[in-house]
């Protein structure tokens, strides 16, 4: 897209989904979604700003960005809870991570979703103004039983869990 001063915006867009194996969420670290190449799921990593190793998206150009994450937990039981949110770091991309958006926070209730007993879905979307060099990442937490993020697909083969983002302007 051409900018007002005759230059061009740096393209920055990604969609990463869970791979073929279940994931274990971490209470303080980025949730790493390793698949940015599956065409069936619309995956991409334009500009290579999302790392499939760290789970972090490094802001390439200061501006406004949109992020969304969706997580399907499995093997939930009585007394379990889940939470999803977004974090950002300082412009060095690694220090002083702070939560900038709290998503869904729910306690498990048997047969409370259309996914079946033992499953719970959470998601969050947010926009924000970020400075070049900052890292943004999705985090999902689960308390109670052993945490598991479901790697399966729905009836049409689409992944339930993933993270995406792009520059708005």
């Amino acid at each position: 897209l051409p900018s007002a001063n005759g230059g061009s915006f740096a393209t920055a867009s990604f969609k990463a989904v869970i791979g073929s194996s279940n994931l274990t969420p971490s209470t303080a670290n980025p949730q790493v979604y390793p698949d940015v190449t599956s065409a069936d799921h619309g995956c991409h990593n334009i500009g290579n700003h999302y790392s499939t190793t760290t789970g972090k998206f490094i802001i390439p150009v200061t501006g406004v960005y949109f992020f969304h994450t969706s997580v399907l937990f499995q093997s939930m039981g009585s007394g379990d809870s889940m939470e999803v949110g977004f974090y950002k770091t300082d412009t060095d991309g690694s220090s002083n991570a702070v939560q900038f958006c709290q998503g869904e926070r729910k306690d498990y209730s048997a047969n409370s979703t259309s996914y079946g007993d033992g499953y719970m879905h959470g998601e969050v979307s947010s926009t924000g103004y970020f400075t070049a060099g900052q890292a943004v990442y999705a985090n999902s937490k689960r308390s109670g039983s052993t945490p598991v993020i479901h790697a399966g697909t729905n009836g049409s083969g689409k992944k339930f869990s993933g993270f995406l983002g792009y520059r708005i302007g």
Side-chain angles (χ1 to χ4, degrees), residues 71-114:
V71 181
L72 181 63
F73 289 96
Q74 71 179 41
S75 305
M76 299 290 283
S78 179
D80 291 350
S81 63
M82 55 78 56
E83 174 183 321
V84 293
F86 292 125
Y87 288 76
K88 65 180 178 178
T89 67
D90 288 341
T91 56
D92 66 5
S94 63
S95 64
N96 298 323
V98 295
Q99 188 174 43
F100 72 88
C101 184
Q102 171 66 55
E104 291 186 282
R105 204 178 222 181
K106 299 188 239 183
D107 293 327
Y108 176 73
S109 176
N111 294 308
S112 62
T113 70
S114 61

Side-chain angles (χ1 to χ4, degrees), residues 123-137:
E123 61 187 325
V124 61
S125 297
S126 182
T127 59
Y129 183 81
F130 300 94
T131 303
Q134 283 185 295
V136 174
Y137 61 90

Side-chain angles (χ1 to χ4, degrees), residues 11-143:
T11 302
S13 178
F14 76 97
K15 180 179 180 185
V17 296
I18 193 167
S20 58
S21 300
N22 292 338
L23 297 175
T24 301
S26 172
T27 58
N29 296 314
Q31 185 59 60
V32 179
Y33 293 101
D35 183 357
V36 293
T37 61
S38 178
D40 289 345
H41 304 296
C43 295
H44 61 280
N45 194 6
I46 299 170
N48 293 314
H49 303 292
Y50 175 78
S51 170
T52 57
T53 304
T54 67
K56 294 179 180 179
F57 175 79
I58 305 300
I59 302 294
V61 177
T62 298
V64 178
Y65 290 79
F66 171 83
F67 295 98
H68 176 81
T69 190
S70 179
V71 181
L72 181 63
F73 289 96
Q74 71 179 41
S75 305
M76 299 290 283
S78 179
D80 291 350
S81 63
M82 55 78 56
E83 174 183 321
V84 293
F86 292 125
Y87 288 76
K88 65 180 178 178
T89 67
D90 288 341
T91 56
D92 66 5
S94 63
S95 64
N96 298 323
V98 295
Q99 188 174 43
F100 72 88
C101 184
Q102 171 66 55
E104 291 186 282
R105 204 178 222 181
K106 299 188 239 183
D107 293 327
Y108 176 73
S109 176
N111 294 308
S112 62
T113 70
S114 61
Y115 302 105
D117 195 27
Y119 289 89
M120 182 177 272
H121 179 255
E123 61 187 325
V124 61
S125 297
S126 182
T127 59
Y129 183 81
F130 300 94
T131 303
Q134 283 185 295
V136 174
Y137 61 90
N139 177 267
S140 52
K141 302 174 186 176
R142 176 176 165 189
S143 63

